[in-house]
Every structure is written in C-alpha cells, then in structure tokens.
Amino acid sequence: MTASEEVLDRGLSADIADFIRGPHGHEIGDMIDRLSPVGNCAIFGGLARDFAREGRDAFKSDVDIVVHGLPGVLDALLSQMSGRRNQFGGYRLEYGRFDFDIWPLQMTWAARVGHVKVRSLTDLARTTFFDCDAVLFDCRTLEISRSDRFWTSIGQGIVDINLEPNPNYIGTLVRTLRILFDKKQKLAPRLARYLARGVEGSRKDIMDYAARDRRPIGSATEIDLGNALVSWRAKALEEVVCHEFPTPINI
C-alpha cells in the first residue's frame, strides 16, 4: 500500500462514516445499529465504489451489508423486519429511502462454493467479479479494505476482473456492457476478452436479459443493441486501454 492510497482510504472512510450518520444516509446507520448485535457489519461494494469514483452524490445503488455472525440469528432478525430471502442465501428489504441486500459472511457465494476461503470481513475483497467492486467499509473499525488494484481501477477508469467465477454469467456480461457504454469506463484486456467471448456465444441471452431488466444499455434500442453486439468484437481492440498492455492483444 502506498502513502497516497492510505490517504485515499482514510478520506473514503471518513466520507462514508459521515454519510451514514448524517441527514441523507442515517437510515443506513440505523440499519447497521439493528444488525450489529448479530455481529460485525461491513458495507460492501457499490456504495464505497461510487463514493470513491464520483462522490456521495453519485451513489444510486442498493446498499450491500455483510454480517459476520450466526446465520440463524440473522435470519430470525431479518424475517422480523419483513426481509425477502433471495436465491443467494441473503435477504432483500426496504428501509427508509434505501434498498438493502443483507447476508451472513458465510453465505458469500464465492466462499460457499469454494472459490475463496472467507474467514473475516476483509476477505470479501477477494470475492467480487470486478476489481472496482472489491472494497468494503468495516462499520466497527471504520477501516477500508480493498483489492490491490481498487484505486488504480478507480483512478484510471479501467475495469478488470478480480475473481472470474460468478453465479450470474449473463448478468455479468450485461453489467460489463453497462460499464463500457453507460459508465464510459475502459476494459482491461482480460475483461475485454471475457466480454468478447460472451458476446460471441450468448448474444441472444444478453439481449433477452437486458430486455427483462427494462434498462437500456446506453441509448440502444433492442435492434441497435443486437447490431452493436454483432460488431462489438471487431471494435473491442479500440476499447481496450491498459497501461500494462500498451500494444494491442488478440481477442
């Protein structure tokens, strides 16, 4: 960790801590208070990523909270709070102005299927598909944990793969397209290859998923998206930018 990254970590931590106890995010702090008797909590992924990338005003995602406690105790509490169980072993619920996804540490998908050994909240940084999501805020210590590439990804606007196996292949391809066309981020070579293979083999599934999601990718209509996916592989080399690979690579 460099000195500049330590400064960035401290700034991000202070911003999140202030937000969840302030007038615009106090429901998140309230939720943490309700969950903390079960075990230590971490705000994982999207909130910290958006705060790091563009500041708190850019945050429009759900709030992901992971609890290091007994799953049965957490189940009982979230059931009382009218949480809806999801397919990944966690719960989804609305509280105040925010939608929350909450799950016990042990049910983290990458840990449950054996891809990553997860013993503490800090291990979560090794479980995300995208490197820009590999960040968490420990609600007890107020410390930031993240992947080694997190600040590089945020600072350079280049997204890469952190852990390739994931439980939602088509959804991940769609999200990669949103990163490329909506967020205007660049793809590192490994992620570009992953997307190119997916577009080549799963174009119809990608289009169907995007249609069900009712959120257009960029400004594309369904026909435009189909044409874009057909031509994307040919254009991929122009989109790939990574300081570690200054010359084009074949995909």
Side-chain angles (χ1 to χ4, degrees):
M1 181 191 304
T2 66
S4 61
E5 288 175 337
E6 289 184 15
V7 172
L8 290 169
D9 285 348
R10 289 196 297 270
L12 178 59
S13 173
D15 198 18
I16 295 172
D18 178 69
F19 178 75
I20 67 174
R21 299 300 177 182
H24 301 296
H26 66 88
E27 294 101 334
I28 301 175
D30 293 344
M31 179 62 71
I32 296 298
D33 291 341
R34 298 186 71 173
L35 296 172
S36 291
V38 179
N40 192 21
C41 302
I43 299 172
F44 182 42
L47 184 148
R49 176 202 65 222
D50 291 350
F51 274 44
R53 182 181 285 157
E54 298 180 80
R56 63 175 66 181
D57 290 341
F59 174 63
K60 294 180 175 62
S61 302
D62 302 335
V63 182
D64 293 338
I65 299 178
V66 184
V67 183
H68 192 184
L70 294 174
V73 178
L74 183 63
D75 287 346
L77 174 61
L78 293 175
S79 295
Q80 292 173 4
M81 297 173 65
S82 301
R84 303 183 300 277
R85 185 178 283 278
N86 62 36
Q87 61 181 319
F88 302 115
Y91 286 83
R92 185 167 181 84
L93 67 153
E94 299 174 3
Y95 185 76
R97 291 165 289 180
F98 298 96
D99 292 326
F100 291 86
D101 286 313
I102 302 169
W103 68 94
L105 178 66
Q106 300 93 319
M107 294 302 294
T108 301
W109 180 84
R112 185 157 44 86
V113 301
H115 292 300
V116 177
K117 290 184 178 180
V118 174
R119 298 186 178 90
S120 68
L121 291 171
T122 58
D123 293 323
L124 289 168
R126 298 188 288 117
T127 68
T128 65
F129 179 82
F130 296 107
D131 59 357
C132 61
D133 289 341
V135 59
L136 60 121
F137 170 79
D138 187 306
C139 299
R140 181 175 296 166
T141 66
L142 308 185
E143 292 181 348
I144 295 292
S145 297
R146 53 175 173 74
S147 70
D148 291 340
R149 266 194 49 82
F150 174 74
W151 284 116
T152 299
S153 176
I154 295 296
Q156 298 183 353
I158 302 169
V159 182
D160 203 354
I161 293 173
N162 185 44
L163 176 71
E164 185 165 330
N166 69 86
N168 187 3
Y169 177 61
I170 299 301
T172 297
L173 292 173
V174 170
R175 190 171 167 215
T176 305
L177 287 167
R178 294 195 194 286
I179 287 171
L180 186 64
F181 292 116
D182 295 347
K183 300 295 185 181
K184 307 301 182 184
Q185 304 283 294
K186 298 296 185 179
L187 307 184
R190 183 183 175 194
L191 181 54
R193 287 193 295 266
Y194 182 93
L195 180 58
R197 289 194 300 268
V199 166
E200 185 175 34
S202 304
R203 183 170 68 92
K204 184 178 185 305
D205 291 335
I206 292 170
M207 293 174 63
D208 289 346
Y209 187 104
R212 289 195 304 272
D213 201 29
R214 296 183 179 180
R215 291 173 54 209
I217 297 174
S219 59
T221 65
E222 183 172 341
I223 295 175
D224 292 336
L225 177 59
N227 292 336
L229 294 180
V230 169
S231 62
W232 189 87
R233 194 171 188 274
K235 295 179 180 179
L237 290 176
E238 299 175 11
E239 299 291 345
V240 175
V241 175
C242 182
H243 68 287
E244 295 176 347
F245 294 85
T247 57
I249 58 171
N250 294 322
I251 55 176

